[in-house]
C-alpha cells in the first residue's frame, strides 16, 4: 500500500510527464508556428518567419510518398487562384536524395517555395513538428498562427476565400 508521500510523488511525476509531452507537441490551433529555416532548390535558406504577412500552407511531403504526390497535384490547381492575394505554400521535403526531390518538384509542377530537410523522419524539422505521417499540412495565418491542420483542398479553398477576401 502506498503512503501519502508516494501518492503525491506519483501524481507530480505524472503531471511532469504530461506537461513535457505537450510542450513538444505539434503546434495546435491558434498557436504560433515553429520556425523553419531550410535550404531551397537554389540552395538559399528560407525561413518560415520571412513569410509573415501571408497565409501559408506548410506542406510536409517526400518524393517517394504516393499520397503526397497526389496531394501536390491538387495544390497545383489551388495555388494560382490565391498566390497573388497573399497565399504561399512552403513545401518541406523529408527526402534523403536531393535529386529525387528536385525531380518530383519538376514533374509535379510545384511552383511554390520548396525546402528540404534531408534525413527522413529523423531530420530536425519533422522531429520538431512531430510529424509521424505524410502528407501533413498546417495552414498558418498572416500573424504566424496555425489555423488549420491537414485541410482538404475544398476546406483549404473555403478558408482562403474567407481569409483573403476572395
Amino acid at each position: 500500500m502506498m503512503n501519502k508521500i508516494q501518492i503525491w510523488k506519483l501524481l507530480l511525476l505524472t503531471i511532469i510527464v504530461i506537461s513535457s509531452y505537450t510542450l513538444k507537441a505539434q503546434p495546435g490551433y491558434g498557436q504560433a508556428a515553429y520556425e523553419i529555416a531550410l535550404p531551397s532548390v537554389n540552395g538559399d535558406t528560407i525561413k518560415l518567419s520571412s513569410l509573415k504577412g501571408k497565409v501559408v500552407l506548410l506542406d510536409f511531403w517526400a518524393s517517394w510518398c504516393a499520397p503526397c504526390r497526389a496531394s501536390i497535384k491538387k495544390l497545383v490547381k489551388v495555388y494560382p487562384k490565391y498566390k497573388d492575394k497573399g497565399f504561399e505554400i512552403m513545401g518541406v521535403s523529408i527526402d534523403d536524395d536531393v535529386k529525387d526531390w528536385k525531380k518530383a518538384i519538376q514533374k509535379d509542377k510545384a511552383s511554390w517555395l520548396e525546402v528540404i530537410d534531408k534525413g527522413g523522419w529523423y531530420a530536425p524539422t519533422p522531429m520538431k513538428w512531430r510529424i509521424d505521417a505524410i502528407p501533413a499540412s498546417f495552414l498558418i495565418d498572416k500573424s504566424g498562427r496555425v489555423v488549420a491542420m491537414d485541410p482538404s483542398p475544398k476546406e483549404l479553398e473555403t478558408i482562403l476565400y474567407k481569409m483573403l477576401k476572395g
Side-chain angles (χ1 to χ4, degrees):
M1 194 157 140
M2 293 173 42
N3 64 32
K4 286 183 182 181
I5 293 174
Q6 289 172 320
I7 292 171
W8 279 106
K9 284 182 180 179
L10 183 60
L11 180 61
L12 182 61
L13 181 61
T14 303
I15 291 170
I16 290 169
V17 168
I18 291 171
S19 296
S20 67
Y21 179 78
T22 58
L23 288 175
K24 294 183 179 182
Q26 293 176 332
Y29 297 102
Q31 292 181 322
Y34 301 147
E35 179 64 286
I36 293 174
L38 292 170
S40 70
V41 175
N42 300 330
D44 302 332
T45 297
I46 298 178
K47 291 185 175 188
L48 178 59
S49 60
S50 72
L51 302 174
K52 210 168 196 172
K54 293 186 177 200
V55 175
V56 178
L57 182 69
L58 188 63
D59 184 42
F60 288 88
W61 71 286
S63 64
W64 45 262
C65 169
C68 299
R69 304 289 293 277
S71 175
I72 288 170
K73 286 182 171 111
K74 293 174 184 172
L75 291 175
V76 166
K77 295 175 183 174
V78 174
Y79 183 62
K81 294 180 188 177
Y82 295 95
K83 72 176 186 172
D84 293 332
K85 296 178 182 180
F87 175 56
E88 189 58 70
I89 298 173
M90 184 176 189
V92 180
S93 172
I94 63 169
D95 275 287
D96 283 319
D97 189 312
V98 172
K99 288 179 187 174
D100 290 345
W101 168 58
K102 288 181 178 182
K103 186 177 174 183
I105 292 168
Q106 187 175 23
K107 185 175 181 181
D108 295 344
K109 297 179 174 80
S111 60
W112 48 80
L113 297 174
E114 286 288 351
V115 296
I116 189 169
D117 198 357
K118 295 188 304 184
W121 301 106
Y122 302 107
T125 305
M127 292 289 288
K128 184 177 181 179
W129 280 75
R130 298 194 48 100
I131 302 300
D132 57 10
I134 52 175
S137 62
F138 299 82
L139 188 62
I140 302 165
D141 69 11
K142 293 178 181 184
S143 68
R145 300 206 172 274
V146 175
V147 294
M149 291 186 259
D150 296 319
S152 69
K154 186 176 180 178
E155 291 169 330
L156 178 61
E157 283 210 64
T158 300
I159 296 167
L160 290 175
Y161 185 83
K162 291 176 184 176
M163 292 179 79
L164 300 172
K165 310 293 186 253

